[in-house]
Amino acid sequence: MTKDIKIVLDVDETPKNYYNLAADLPSALHPPLNPATKEPVNPSDLEVLFPKELIKQEVSRERYIPIPEEVRDALIKMGRPSPLFRASRLEKALKTPAKIYFKHEGLNPCGSHKPNTAIAQAYYNMKEGIENLTTETGAGQWGTALSYAGALFDLDVMVFMVRVSFEQKPYRKTIMETYGGEVFSSPSSRTDYGRSVLSKMPDTPGSLGIAISEAVELAAKDDKTHYALGSVLNHVMLHQTVIGQEVQKQLKMIEEEPDVLIGCIGGGSNFAGFSFPFLQDKIKKKMNYEIIAVEPSSCPSTTKGEYRYDFGDSAGLTPLLKMYTLGNQYVPPPDHAGGLRYHGMAPLVSSAINQGYAESVAYDQNEVFKASMLFAETEGIVAAPESAHAIKCCIDKAVECRKNKESKTIVFNLSGHGLMDLKGYEQYLKGML
Ligand SMILES: *Cc1c(COP(=O)(O)O)cnc(C)c1O
């Protein structure tokens, strides 16, 4: 057997700590601002929405933060460490001298990287005596992961699902409900904000910004209810770093050094989790990694947006974050990569891009689906449309290697499978995108 076809770690190699990029990023991060006073947020202001432990992580500058044993056990039970594969048939099809590897985050029960943080967030909320969680979901992966984690730690989960996805992906609702979650199409008539949007824009496709406002509104009104966010915030980036730490060990096992690291970006969490441990080496050991974040050209926050303070939601209820943004009123066109349709970008990812440690590119959905078809035909995996953005970039890089006769090692993060996103594939196959 070829030794690098599937690189698997032992269960006890599952990371024991989260890695915090805020400890190593040279220029200090900009603090979140209170929406009313525009002064830096007092961490205790956030206690209506989040448990204290997560707020501590949000503002932490500690390099390593221990993963609680119960969380680590739950991560192991859902399949960590996840395998790293060599995409040898894709290499052959592209006739490239490059070596291509991908980290597969789609093999757990939820099918994406999202449970890495959902489990941690549900755990810390449960520890603090919280009984209900509210959240938003775009394509449905986050709502699925949080419903799953809620079931593990006995929390009731209420999910506001962006209307366009609610309609495109009806079975997503069924999975969430099977885990005990309650799902509403957003904007909904359950909240003041939802009702106000519905009265002004009855035909809106919805947006993550609107759904976040609805979830935050309900959490702020009840003591036993907290809010959980699936991306963007520092503590979410932190929880996802189990991905990159595993990849580092896996590459070491086969004595491989990466040249190019690629991930797609919606709010930035799978990219952060995959790339931040490598970014640490880029900053401290001056490693020459090319780190690329890929976004859809329909929601180009880092390639076309501004780097400034903006709200995380549409209603302006959340603190202001310093990030790349298209403006909190931006409603992206109904693109199939629902998980990438967010107006902003994680402050840590924004800062890494702004400081030149990572670069970003944007692609159209048609070229992305085309790349994904080649990946399915060669590697046998139907990727999530979000992850397909990383595949497209990887293929472009591998083709560049063929032209330049360079044998680079390219590693990308396959953030999830696309078996719940077949509507998009169907429309692509019919030429209707
Ligand atoms: C949610 C999601 C994304 C986008 O979110 P990030 O926070 O940027 O990772 C990407 N891929 C999949 C499969 C997702 O579920």
Side-chain angles (χ1 to χ4, degrees):
M1 194 190 72
T2 325
K3 77 173 164 63
D4 66 352
I5 207 81
K6 177 180 181 185
I7 304 109
V8 191
L9 295 173
D10 287 342
V11 162
D12 38 317
E13 303 253 24
T14 304
K16 295 199 166 85
N17 293 288
Y18 298 124
Y19 164 64
N20 187 6
L21 182 69
D24 292 309
L25 209 58
S27 102
L29 279 173
H30 308 270
L33 304 183
N34 182 306
T37 63
K38 307 271 151 68
E39 293 295 318
V41 167
N42 183 343
S44 64
D45 293 350
L46 301 171
E47 287 173 12
V48 293
L49 296 182
F50 303 108
K52 292 190 183 66
E53 207 52 46
L54 289 179
I55 297 170
K56 247 179 33 205
Q57 293 182 0
E58 190 60 27
V59 298
S60 171
R61 292 289 167 87
E62 288 294 318
R63 183 164 292 116
Y64 294 104
I65 295 173
I67 303 177
E69 204 167 296
E70 265 181 273
V71 171
R72 190 165 172 270
D73 286 353
L75 292 175
I76 289 169
K77 218 165 155 187
M78 72 141 194
R80 300 222 75 84
S82 67
L84 180 77
F85 291 97
R86 175 101 183 250
S88 42
R89 288 192 293 258
L90 177 62
E91 289 170 16
K92 247 188 218 136
L94 296 171
K95 300 190 175 62
T96 177
K99 288 187 203 169
I100 301 175
Y101 294 90
F102 63 92
K103 177 73 162 167
H104 199 340
E105 287 295 308
L107 292 172
N108 64 62
C110 301
S112 78
H113 65 289
K114 298 272 184 4
N116 294 329
T117 182
I119 287 172
Q121 293 191 44
Y123 168 81
Y124 290 116
N125 276 291
M126 175 276 289
K127 276 286 178 199
E128 201 167 282
I130 289 300
E131 293 170 3
N132 318 287
L133 291 176
T134 64
T135 197
E136 74 296 327
T137 195
Q141 289 107 327
W142 170 241
T144 303
L146 196 69
S147 300
Y148 165 83
L152 298 184
F153 295 106
D154 285 327
L155 297 163
D156 287 330
V157 176
M158 196 187 266
V159 183
F160 291 90
M161 184 169 186
V162 177
R163 181 193 271 171
V164 53
S165 301
F166 188 87
E167 285 162 8
Q168 276 169 357
K169 300 173 185 188
Y171 287 131
R172 273 287 173 196
K173 173 167 177 273
T174 310
I175 303 184
M176 291 185 252
E177 289 175 347
T178 305
Y179 284 130
E182 224 185 326
V183 189
F184 305 98
S185 175
S186 167
S188 78
S189 52
R190 299 282 304 212
T191 64
D192 293 342
Y193 187 67
R195 284 187 293 272
S196 84
V197 175
L198 282 174
S199 72
K200 278 179 254 156
M201 302 187 283
D203 298 323
T204 178
S207 70
L208 279 168
I210 295 169
I212 293 172
S213 297
E214 291 203 88
V216 167
E217 182 186 316
L218 286 192
K221 279 181 186 160
D222 185 80
D223 277 359
K224 291 285 178 198
T225 305
H226 269 171
Y227 165 68
L229 186 59
S231 189
V232 182
L233 297 179
N234 298 344
H235 66 263
V236 183
M237 306 298 120
L238 207 61
H239 301 156
Q240 294 293 355
T241 57
V242 293
I243 303 173
Q245 295 181 68
E246 287 174 10
V247 176
Q248 286 183 317
K249 287 187 187 175
Q250 286 163 316
L251 290 174
K252 202 171 259 167
M253 270 172 80
I254 52 166
E255 293 166 14
E256 202 55 91
E257 266 296 340
D259 297 296
V260 188
L261 295 146
I262 303 169
C264 66
I265 45 170
S269 73
N270 86 86
F271 170 77
F274 172 71
S275 69
F276 282 2
F278 290 94
L279 242 164
Q280 178 185 24
D281 289 348
K282 188 165 175 171
I283 293 168
K284 289 173 70 181
K285 299 186 192 158
K286 310 262 184 273
M287 297 303 291
N288 198 17
Y289 302 138
E290 194 178 344
I291 299 180
I292 311 174
V294 192
E295 64 188 9
S297 40
S298 61
C299 195
S301 25
T302 67
T303 51
K304 297 265 173 69
E306 293 175 67
Y307 187 48
R308 63 170 168 89
Y309 272 103
D310 195 8
F311 295 104
D313 70 326
S314 304
L317 300 174
T318 68
L320 290 147
L321 303 173
K322 179 81 183 265
M323 60 182 175
Y324 281 102
T325 176
L326 295 160
N328 75 329
Q329 296 303 310
Y330 184 76
V331 176
D335 186 301
H336 275 284
L340 305 184
R341 300 171 68 245
Y342 183 63
H343 69 272
M345 184 52 56
L348 276 170
V349 171
S350 294
S351 176
I353 292 174
N354 187 256
Q355 293 184 50
Y357 287 107
E359 56 190 292
S360 64
V361 290
Y363 290 112
D364 285 332
Q365 63 173 351
N366 268 298
E367 54 185 347
V368 164
F369 273 105
K370 185 173 173 210
S372 198
M373 297 291 296
L374 178 62
F375 187 67
E377 286 160 15
T378 52
E379 296 297 325
I381 297 167
V382 178
E386 293 86 357
S387 322
H389 287 72
I391 295 173
K392 165 65 182 159
C393 179
C394 164
I395 290 177
D396 280 8
K397 282 282 155 192
V399 168
E400 204 178 286
C401 285
R402 181 179 73 213
K403 290 182 181 150
N404 301 338
K405 301 196 167 48
E406 281 175 311
S407 160
K408 288 188 179 171
T409 298
I410 305 170
V411 189
F412 74 88
N413 192 36
L414 186 77
S415 51
H417 71 64
L419 296 177
M420 280 289 147
D421 308 286
L422 295 180
K423 192 101 200 152
Y425 282 92
E426 181 189 46
Q427 291 189 339
Y428 174 77
L429 289 166
K430 286 185 179 159
M432 282 166 53
L433 276 189

